[in-house]
Amino acid sequence: QVQLVESGGGLVQTGDSLTLSCAASGREFRTYFMGWVRQAPGKEREFVAAVGWIGGSAIHADSVKGRFSISRDNAKNTVYLQMNSLKPEDTANYYCAADEIFGKLRNVQPEYWGQGTQVTVSS
């Protein structure tokens, strides 16, 4: 039983910060890329960020680069997304995702999905 459980979403104002967490369980995730995908109403699913076992390998989408930072605590099987300088355009349901193949995660077709956590940024 593989589970990805997100937490940390909420309602914030433009310019605020928020940190999302994703706890993974059910199997060994050492070989997995973990990351985040978001979807706003009426929009396509969008890749946000991903990180491999080594934190220095983190990749961020251009739309969030410089504002969001993904990190991973392997001892806790947890991945985080620190979001700073939030904008209304960041409003979306944020999903935790994991896959052994980076390309599948990058193309928003990961093997595993979480249930999502809603982030709403008011202007």
mmCIF file of all heavy atoms in Angstrom, residues 14-40:
data_model
loop_
_atom_site.group_PDB
_atom_site.id
_atom_site.type_symbol
_atom_site.label_atom_id
_atom_site.label_comp_id
_atom_site.label_asym_id
_atom_site.label_seq_id
_atom_site.Cartn_x
_atom_site.Cartn_y
_atom_site.Cartn_z
ATOM 1 N N THR A 14 -1.398 37.643 -1.161
ATOM 2 C CA THR A 14 -0.289 37.881 -2.071
ATOM 3 C C THR A 14 0.953 38.297 -1.293
ATOM 4 O O THR A 14 0.888 39.149 -0.410
ATOM 5 C CB THR A 14 -0.647 38.967 -3.089
ATOM 6 O OG1 THR A 14 -1.745 38.523 -3.890
ATOM 7 C CG2 THR A 14 0.536 39.290 -3.991
ATOM 8 N N GLY A 15 2.074 37.663 -1.607
ATOM 9 C CA GLY A 15 3.325 37.975 -0.944
ATOM 10 C C GLY A 15 3.636 37.100 0.248
ATOM 11 O O GLY A 15 4.773 37.104 0.736
ATOM 12 N N ASP A 16 2.662 36.358 0.714
ATOM 13 C CA ASP A 16 2.865 35.476 1.860
ATOM 14 C C ASP A 16 3.679 34.248 1.487
ATOM 15 O O ASP A 16 3.941 33.977 0.310
ATOM 16 C CB ASP A 16 1.520 35.031 2.432
ATOM 17 C CG ASP A 16 0.847 36.100 3.260
ATOM 18 O OD1 ASP A 16 1.467 37.154 3.505
ATOM 19 O OD2 ASP A 16 -0.317 35.884 3.658
ATOM 20 N N SER A 17 4.058 33.499 2.502
ATOM 21 C CA SER A 17 4.786 32.252 2.324
ATOM 22 C C SER A 17 3.981 31.095 2.882
ATOM 23 O O SER A 17 3.155 31.263 3.777
ATOM 24 C CB SER A 17 6.144 32.319 3.030
ATOM 25 O OG SER A 17 6.985 33.296 2.458
ATOM 26 N N LEU A 18 4.248 29.929 2.343
ATOM 27 C CA LEU A 18 3.561 28.722 2.773
ATOM 28 C C LEU A 18 4.471 27.536 2.492
ATOM 29 O O LEU A 18 5.198 27.538 1.490
ATOM 30 C CB LEU A 18 2.244 28.576 2.012
ATOM 31 C CG LEU A 18 1.117 27.714 2.593
ATOM 32 C CD1 LEU A 18 0.675 28.262 3.945
ATOM 33 C CD2 LEU A 18 -0.056 27.698 1.624
ATOM 34 N N THR A 19 4.438 26.552 3.358
ATOM 35 C CA THR A 19 5.245 25.359 3.155
ATOM 36 C C THR A 19 4.355 24.124 3.114
ATOM 37 O O THR A 19 3.576 23.876 4.037
ATOM 38 C CB THR A 19 6.293 25.188 4.273
ATOM 39 O OG1 THR A 19 7.165 26.323 4.285
ATOM 40 C CG2 THR A 19 7.134 23.936 4.027
ATOM 41 N N LEU A 20 4.472 23.370 2.044
ATOM 42 C CA LEU A 20 3.726 22.132 1.894
ATOM 43 C C LEU A 20 4.618 20.952 2.263
ATOM 44 O O LEU A 20 5.829 20.989 2.050
ATOM 45 C CB LEU A 20 3.238 21.956 0.458
ATOM 46 C CG LEU A 20 2.424 23.100 -0.151
ATOM 47 C CD1 LEU A 20 1.973 22.714 -1.555
ATOM 48 C CD2 LEU A 20 1.238 23.439 0.726
ATOM 49 N N SER A 21 4.007 19.909 2.800
ATOM 50 C CA SER A 21 4.730 18.700 3.148
ATOM 51 C C SER A 21 4.055 17.502 2.503
ATOM 52 O O SER A 21 2.835 17.486 2.314
ATOM 53 C CB SER A 21 4.766 18.495 4.665
ATOM 54 O OG SER A 21 5.428 19.554 5.316
ATOM 55 N N CYS A 22 4.843 16.501 2.184
ATOM 56 C CA CYS A 22 4.314 15.262 1.622
ATOM 57 C C CYS A 22 5.030 14.099 2.284
ATOM 58 O O CYS A 22 6.247 13.951 2.146
ATOM 59 C CB CYS A 22 4.519 15.220 0.112
ATOM 60 S SG CYS A 22 4.129 13.617 -0.641
ATOM 61 N N ALA A 23 4.275 13.286 2.992
ATOM 62 C CA ALA A 23 4.824 12.113 3.654
ATOM 63 C C ALA A 23 4.545 10.881 2.804
ATOM 64 O O ALA A 23 3.396 10.598 2.468
ATOM 65 C CB ALA A 23 4.209 11.956 5.040
ATOM 66 N N ALA A 24 5.594 10.161 2.465
ATOM 67 C CA ALA A 24 5.473 8.966 1.637
ATOM 68 C C ALA A 24 5.630 7.706 2.477
ATOM 69 O O ALA A 24 6.461 7.648 3.385
ATOM 70 C CB ALA A 24 6.522 8.980 0.531
ATOM 71 N N SER A 25 4.844 6.701 2.173
ATOM 72 C CA SER A 25 4.920 5.448 2.903
ATOM 73 C C SER A 25 4.510 4.286 2.010
ATOM 74 O O SER A 25 3.916 4.480 0.958
ATOM 75 C CB SER A 25 4.036 5.488 4.149
ATOM 76 O OG SER A 25 2.670 5.636 3.793
ATOM 77 N N GLY A 26 4.829 3.083 2.437
ATOM 78 C CA GLY A 26 4.393 1.899 1.734
ATOM 79 C C GLY A 26 5.466 1.154 0.961
ATOM 80 O O GLY A 26 5.270 -0.009 0.594
ATOM 81 N N ARG A 27 6.574 1.807 0.711
ATOM 82 C CA ARG A 27 7.681 1.176 0.012
ATOM 83 C C ARG A 27 8.943 2.002 0.166
ATOM 84 O O ARG A 27 8.907 3.113 0.691
ATOM 85 C CB ARG A 27 7.354 0.960 -1.468
ATOM 86 C CG ARG A 27 7.247 2.233 -2.282
ATOM 87 C CD ARG A 27 7.186 1.899 -3.768
ATOM 88 N NE ARG A 27 8.385 1.186 -4.187
ATOM 89 C CZ ARG A 27 8.399 0.157 -5.032
ATOM 90 N NH1 ARG A 27 7.264 -0.288 -5.556
ATOM 91 N NH2 ARG A 27 9.541 -0.425 -5.350
ATOM 92 N N GLU A 28 10.027 1.470 -0.346
ATOM 93 C CA GLU A 28 11.294 2.191 -0.332
ATOM 94 C C GLU A 28 11.292 3.202 -1.473
ATOM 95 O O GLU A 28 11.035 2.854 -2.619
ATOM 96 C CB GLU A 28 12.451 1.209 -0.493
ATOM 97 C CG GLU A 28 13.821 1.864 -0.571
ATOM 98 C CD GLU A 28 14.126 2.667 0.667
ATOM 99 O OE1 GLU A 28 14.202 2.067 1.755
ATOM 100 O OE2 GLU A 28 14.287 3.904 0.553
ATOM 101 N N PHE A 29 11.594 4.456 -1.157
ATOM 102 C CA PHE A 29 11.566 5.520 -2.154
ATOM 103 C C PHE A 29 12.945 6.049 -2.533
ATOM 104 O O PHE A 29 13.045 7.099 -3.173
ATOM 105 C CB PHE A 29 10.685 6.677 -1.664
ATOM 106 C CG PHE A 29 9.220 6.386 -1.731
ATOM 107 C CD1 PHE A 29 8.558 5.838 -0.647
ATOM 108 C CD2 PHE A 29 8.504 6.642 -2.890
ATOM 109 C CE1 PHE A 29 7.207 5.557 -0.703
ATOM 110 C CE2 PHE A 29 7.153 6.371 -2.968
ATOM 111 C CZ PHE A 29 6.497 5.823 -1.873
ATOM 112 N N ARG A 30 13.991 5.339 -2.174
ATOM 113 C CA ARG A 30 15.343 5.800 -2.487
ATOM 114 C C ARG A 30 15.567 6.044 -3.971
ATOM 115 O O ARG A 30 16.272 6.982 -4.353
ATOM 116 C CB ARG A 30 16.382 4.802 -1.980
ATOM 117 C CG ARG A 30 16.682 4.890 -0.498
ATOM 118 C CD ARG A 30 17.866 4.007 -0.139
ATOM 119 N NE ARG A 30 18.240 4.141 1.260
ATOM 120 C CZ ARG A 30 17.685 3.455 2.243
ATOM 121 N NH1 ARG A 30 16.728 2.571 1.982
ATOM 122 N NH2 ARG A 30 18.087 3.639 3.497
ATOM 123 N N THR A 31 14.995 5.213 -4.810
ATOM 124 C CA THR A 31 15.203 5.331 -6.250
ATOM 125 C C THR A 31 14.179 6.235 -6.929
ATOM 126 O O THR A 31 14.204 6.387 -8.149
ATOM 127 C CB THR A 31 15.151 3.953 -6.921
ATOM 128 O OG1 THR A 31 13.856 3.377 -6.737
ATOM 129 C CG2 THR A 31 16.208 3.026 -6.330
ATOM 130 N N TYR A 32 13.299 6.838 -6.169
ATOM 131 C CA TYR A 32 12.220 7.639 -6.729
ATOM 132 C C TYR A 32 12.513 9.134 -6.737
ATOM 133 O O TYR A 32 13.078 9.682 -5.787
ATOM 134 C CB TYR A 32 10.928 7.416 -5.952
ATOM 135 C CG TYR A 32 10.220 6.132 -6.302
ATOM 136 C CD1 TYR A 32 10.725 4.904 -5.888
ATOM 137 C CD2 TYR A 32 9.042 6.155 -7.042
ATOM 138 C CE1 TYR A 32 10.075 3.727 -6.217
ATOM 139 C CE2 TYR A 32 8.388 4.988 -7.368
ATOM 140 C CZ TYR A 32 8.901 3.780 -6.955
ATOM 141 O OH TYR A 32 8.247 2.608 -7.271
ATOM 142 N N PHE A 33 12.105 9.761 -7.822
ATOM 143 C CA PHE A 33 12.024 11.206 -7.853
ATOM 144 C C PHE A 33 10.705 11.572 -7.183
ATOM 145 O O PHE A 33 9.684 10.931 -7.414
ATOM 146 C CB PHE A 33 12.022 11.738 -9.284
ATOM 147 C CG PHE A 33 13.328 11.551 -9.980
ATOM 148 C CD1 PHE A 33 13.579 10.418 -10.735
ATOM 149 C CD2 PHE A 33 14.315 12.526 -9.886
ATOM 150 C CE1 PHE A 33 14.784 10.242 -11.385
ATOM 151 C CE2 PHE A 33 15.529 12.362 -10.539
ATOM 152 C CZ PHE A 33 15.762 11.219 -11.282
ATOM 153 N N MET A 34 10.724 12.592 -6.376
ATOM 154 C CA MET A 34 9.508 13.064 -5.731
ATOM 155 C C MET A 34 9.328 14.530 -6.063
ATOM 156 O O MET A 34 10.303 15.254 -6.270
ATOM 157 C CB MET A 34 9.577 12.858 -4.219
ATOM 158 C CG MET A 34 9.710 11.397 -3.813
ATOM 159 S SD MET A 34 9.673 11.146 -2.022
ATOM 160 C CE MET A 34 7.954 11.572 -1.665
ATOM 161 N N GLY A 35 8.081 14.944 -6.136
ATOM 162 C CA GLY A 35 7.855 16.332 -6.496
ATOM 163 C C GLY A 35 6.427 16.773 -6.358
ATOM 164 O O GLY A 35 5.630 16.148 -5.649
ATOM 165 N N TRP A 36 6.138 17.864 -7.065
ATOM 166 C CA TRP A 36 4.830 18.493 -6.950
ATOM 167 C C TRP A 36 4.266 18.853 -8.306
ATOM 168 O O TRP A 36 4.995 19.319 -9.196
ATOM 169 C CB TRP A 36 4.922 19.762 -6.090
ATOM 170 C CG TRP A 36 5.372 19.490 -4.691
ATOM 171 C CD1 TRP A 36 6.645 19.435 -4.221
ATOM 172 C CD2 TRP A 36 4.516 19.222 -3.573
ATOM 173 N NE1 TRP A 36 6.652 19.152 -2.882
ATOM 174 C CE2 TRP A 36 5.363 19.010 -2.457
ATOM 175 C CE3 TRP A 36 3.138 19.141 -3.403
ATOM 176 C CZ2 TRP A 36 4.858 18.727 -1.184
ATOM 177 C CZ3 TRP A 36 2.638 18.858 -2.145
ATOM 178 C CH2 TRP A 36 3.490 18.657 -1.054
ATOM 179 N N VAL A 37 2.972 18.640 -8.448
ATOM 180 C CA VAL A 37 2.211 18.999 -9.635
ATOM 181 C C VAL A 37 1.007 19.806 -9.156
ATOM 182 O O VAL A 37 0.455 19.499 -8.104
ATOM 183 C CB VAL A 37 1.738 17.742 -10.390
ATOM 184 C CG1 VAL A 37 0.789 18.112 -11.524
ATOM 185 C CG2 VAL A 37 2.934 16.970 -10.933
ATOM 186 N N ARG A 38 0.622 20.814 -9.899
ATOM 187 C CA ARG A 38 -0.536 21.599 -9.488
ATOM 188 C C ARG A 38 -1.545 21.719 -10.618
ATOM 189 O O ARG A 38 -1.206 21.589 -11.793
ATOM 190 C CB ARG A 38 -0.123 22.993 -9.003
ATOM 191 C CG ARG A 38 0.431 23.916 -10.084
ATOM 192 C CD ARG A 38 0.918 25.223 -9.475
ATOM 193 N NE ARG A 38 1.409 26.148 -10.475
ATOM 194 C CZ ARG A 38 1.965 27.323 -10.204
ATOM 195 N NH1 ARG A 38 2.110 27.716 -8.939
ATOM 196 N NH2 ARG A 38 2.387 28.115 -11.186
ATOM 197 N N GLN A 39 -2.784 21.974 -10.241
ATOM 198 C CA GLN A 39 -3.838 22.161 -11.221
ATOM 199 C C GLN A 39 -4.820 23.205 -10.716
ATOM 200 O O GLN A 39 -5.414 23.043 -9.651
ATOM 201 C CB GLN A 39 -4.568 20.855 -11.518
ATOM 202 C CG GLN A 39 -5.599 20.986 -12.634
ATOM 203 C CD GLN A 39 -6.135 19.649 -13.106
ATOM 204 O OE1 GLN A 39 -6.202 18.691 -12.343
ATOM 205 N NE2 GLN A 39 -6.511 19.578 -14.371
ATOM 206 N N ALA A 40 -4.967 24.257 -11.486
ATOM 207 C CA ALA A 40 -5.928 25.303 -11.180
ATOM 208 C C ALA A 40 -7.210 25.033 -11.951
ATOM 209 O O ALA A 40 -7.194 24.358 -12.981
ATOM 210 C CB ALA A 40 -5.355 26.667 -11.558
#
